[in-house]
Amino acid sequence: MLKHLLPLGTRDEFGRRARTKQHLIAVIQAHFKQRGLAPIATPLLENEAVFDPYQMGNYQLYRLFGNDGRTLVLRPDMTLPVARFISATNVPLPQKFGYVGDIFRVSRQLSGSYNQITQAGVELVGYASLKAEFECLTIANQLSSELIADAVEIELGDAQFAQRVVASLTGDEGEQQAILTALFDKQVPRYTKLIAKYRAQPLYDFLKAWPRLFGRPECIFKELAAALLPETVQPSLKRLQTVVAWMQQTMPEQVISVDLSSQAPQKYYTGLTFRGYSQAGAGYLFSGGRYDKLLTNFQAEAEPAVGMGLNVDLLTTLATDQQTAYAEQLIYFEPEQWSQAEAYLAKQPHAILSLADDLAGARIEAQCLNAQLIDLTGGMTND
């Protein structure tokens, strides 16, 4: 019924976006399979207790009451349910998982965020080596290159760096949190006031420059080398330098930045973090990192793990916008020409099959799609 209430152009846009999204999901799932990721699915409804250990960002949860009186939520995150599933089923580790599913978040009013987001993701559980980070970064690099035309910048960080710096200043946890909040929220006047009491400490010059500690790796590492940082952060810096050197060698065209003045994507991260964004998009296309202690919320023993989530809806928006640069093709054919149509389709990445009953119907379909009609029954037309 809705299609009769919408203008033709709006219906065409919805249809084009839906086709693009399904295509992207198919490409992502095929890529996951090629990388050896086992598909995993978790329930849409989860016990609220699964998410209790973490504040899930600047949004609220959708809550429901179960028949037994427990509070259920529509999952706002995929990593935590995957961790619960692994612990509850005693899956032998290590394992590589891939998923595509919807998450639900009550976003702040007028924030511009959607309450339902389709997310694809990777969970590499039981792997302590940096190879797990390398695998996630490789998948992110390859998929972003394959799915959208715009260059994507990968931003690296570390979940423990900021906490260890402020812990070297004071043992007062309230003061530590106040400094971190002002730093992460870029409340520079408040941050400047909070660090003023440490003016006599050797770390003060670094603290003054810290809110601007983001940019190209070579500049950031040069600035860090001149700072009198505590020994506790040296493992984080060495790890960052190793990852940057590996990326520059294995994916030399990839744009890389380092940000040590921002909060990790989620509170459960324990090591390297990474995010990817395009200049054309508002928000991160993907984000992830290492979370070696996450499973301890569901079992006694910790397990090393690295994960990554991709925002399929944002990728769809960028891919749909970029489709205006080329004309989609619509292939019309008779049933006995199916093999011929499939062969043509395999060679044309932006073509789709017309399932119209006759050529007149295919012409109408092509007009609605603003596509070039390829008539295999009698030659090529440019309707």
Side-chain angles (χ1 to χ4, degrees), residues 155-365:
E155 175 187 280
L156 303 175
D158 188 273
Q160 297 180 332
F161 178 86
Q163 284 77 8
R164 289 177 174 173
V165 169
V166 297
S168 73
L169 293 173
T170 174
D172 185 329
E173 293 185 1
E175 189 165 348
Q176 291 178 19
Q177 190 55 53
I179 293 173
L180 290 174
T181 299
L183 173 71
F184 294 153
D185 293 345
K186 298 298 183 283
Q187 300 172 352
V188 177
R190 174 168 170 75
Y191 172 80
T192 302
K193 184 177 179 179
L194 287 168
I195 66 170
K197 64 187 297 183
Y198 305 105
R199 189 182 304 274
Q201 293 202 17
L203 194 59
Y204 186 67
D205 287 341
F206 168 80
L207 294 177
K208 290 191 296 181
W210 197 1
R212 299 178 296 280
L213 197 63
F214 55 88
R216 293 292 169 258
E218 55 273 16
C219 298
I220 299 302
F221 292 149
K222 182 178 180 180
E223 193 167 347
L224 290 169
L228 298 174
L229 295 169
E231 282 299 317
T232 53
V233 305
Q234 296 307 317
S236 296
L237 299 184
K238 183 178 180 180
R239 183 168 53 236
L240 271 173
Q241 290 170 331
T242 300
V243 173
V244 168
W246 175 84
M247 292 179 69
Q248 290 173 337
Q249 180 181 7
T250 59
M251 48 185 82
E253 301 302 318
Q254 176 64 61
V255 179
I256 309 168
S257 61
V258 171
D259 187 351
L260 292 173
S261 66
S262 297
Q263 191 169 18
Q266 295 288 2
K267 291 191 176 182
Y268 47 70
Y269 288 115
T270 59
L272 183 83
T273 63
F274 50 87
R275 291 184 267 211
Y277 58 91
S278 164
Q279 296 297 328
Y284 290 103
L285 299 172
F286 58 84
S287 66
R290 178 166 287 277
Y291 48 87
D292 284 345
K293 298 180 181 179
L294 188 63
L295 284 182
T296 56
N297 292 291
F298 311 104
Q299 63 186 39
E301 296 183 5
E303 291 287 352
V306 177
M308 172 182 67
L310 298 98
N311 188 329
V312 176
D313 292 302
L314 185 51
L315 285 166
T316 299
T317 297
L318 293 179
T320 303
D321 291 344
Q322 291 162 5
Q323 285 178 0
T324 57
Y326 57 80
E328 199 172 54
Q329 294 181 331
L330 185 70
I331 306 168
Y332 176 69
F333 59 99
E334 296 294 345
E336 58 271 20
Q337 295 177 297
W338 193 282
S339 296
Q340 182 183 352
E342 287 285 356
Y344 186 94
L345 183 65
K347 298 177 181 179
Q348 301 295 329
H350 306 308
I352 60 174
L353 299 179
S354 170
L355 305 182
D357 291 336
D358 52 35
L359 184 58
R363 288 194 175 110
I364 294 173
E365 187 179 8

Side-chain angles (χ1 to χ4, degrees), residues 1-304:
M1 181 65 102
L2 179 62
K3 67 180 183 179
H4 299 298
L5 302 177
L6 296 173
L8 180 61
T10 304
R11 297 205 306 267
D12 292 346
E13 180 63 24
F14 282 156
R16 189 158 65 99
R17 180 179 173 85
R19 290 192 305 275
T20 300
K21 184 173 181 177
Q22 290 305 311
H23 171 70
L24 295 189
I25 290 173
V27 171
I28 291 169
Q29 290 175 324
H31 195 86
F32 285 176
K33 182 177 180 180
Q34 191 270 330
R35 302 297 297 192
L37 306 182
I40 187 172
T42 63
L44 194 62
L45 289 175
E46 288 278 0
N47 289 322
E48 186 178 24
V50 171
F51 305 96
D52 279 347
Y54 301 96
Q55 296 178 6
M56 300 305 298
N58 295 321
Y59 49 82
Q60 298 177 342
L61 310 182
Y62 283 97
R63 292 178 171 86
L64 305 90
F65 290 104
N67 293 334
D68 57 2
R70 290 183 300 174
T71 302
L72 305 176
V73 297
L74 290 175
R75 63 187 181 210
D77 174 86
M78 293 292 287
T79 297
L80 284 159
V82 169
R84 178 201 55 76
F85 173 84
I86 292 171
S87 178
T89 56
N90 294 316
V91 174
L93 300 177
Q95 291 281 353
K96 305 174 184 178
F97 297 106
Y99 64 81
V100 177
D102 288 345
I103 58 176
F104 300 83
R105 302 168 175 178
V106 184
S107 300
R108 291 179 291 107
Q109 189 174 13
L110 303 179
S111 67
S113 301
Y114 292 106
N115 292 333
Q116 179 176 348
I117 303 167
T118 301
Q119 186 179 87
V122 175
E123 308 291 350
L124 309 177
V125 186
Y127 297 95
S129 167
L130 265 179
K131 289 180 181 178
E133 281 91 337
F134 294 165
E135 174 69 355
C136 274
L137 289 167
T138 298
I139 292 173
N141 171 263
Q142 292 177 347
L143 278 177
S144 57
S145 298
E146 186 172 358
L147 297 177
I148 62 174
D150 291 321
V152 172
E153 181 169 329
I154 295 182
E155 175 187 280
L156 303 175
D158 188 273
Q160 297 180 332
F161 178 86
Q163 284 77 8
R164 289 177 174 173
V165 169
V166 297
S168 73
L169 293 173
T170 174
D172 185 329
E173 293 185 1
E175 189 165 348
Q176 291 178 19
Q177 190 55 53
I179 293 173
L180 290 174
T181 299
L183 173 71
F184 294 153
D185 293 345
K186 298 298 183 283
Q187 300 172 352
V188 177
R190 174 168 170 75
Y191 172 80
T192 302
K193 184 177 179 179
L194 287 168
I195 66 170
K197 64 187 297 183
Y198 305 105
R199 189 182 304 274
Q201 293 202 17
L203 194 59
Y204 186 67
D205 287 341
F206 168 80
L207 294 177
K208 290 191 296 181
W210 197 1
R212 299 178 296 280
L213 197 63
F214 55 88
R216 293 292 169 258
E218 55 273 16
C219 298
I220 299 302
F221 292 149
K222 182 178 180 180
E223 193 167 347
L224 290 169
L228 298 174
L229 295 169
E231 282 299 317
T232 53
V233 305
Q234 296 307 317
S236 296
L237 299 184
K238 183 178 180 180
R239 183 168 53 236
L240 271 173
Q241 290 170 331
T242 300
V243 173
V244 168
W246 175 84
M247 292 179 69
Q248 290 173 337
Q249 180 181 7
T250 59
M251 48 185 82
E253 301 302 318
Q254 176 64 61
V255 179
I256 309 168
S257 61
V258 171
D259 187 351
L260 292 173
S261 66
S262 297
Q263 191 169 18
Q266 295 288 2
K267 291 191 176 182
Y268 47 70
Y269 288 115
T270 59
L272 183 83
T273 63
F274 50 87
R275 291 184 267 211
Y277 58 91
S278 164
Q279 296 297 328
Y284 290 103
L285 299 172
F286 58 84
S287 66
R290 178 166 287 277
Y291 48 87
D292 284 345
K293 298 180 181 179
L294 188 63
L295 284 182
T296 56
N297 292 291
F298 311 104
Q299 63 186 39
E301 296 183 5
E303 291 287 352

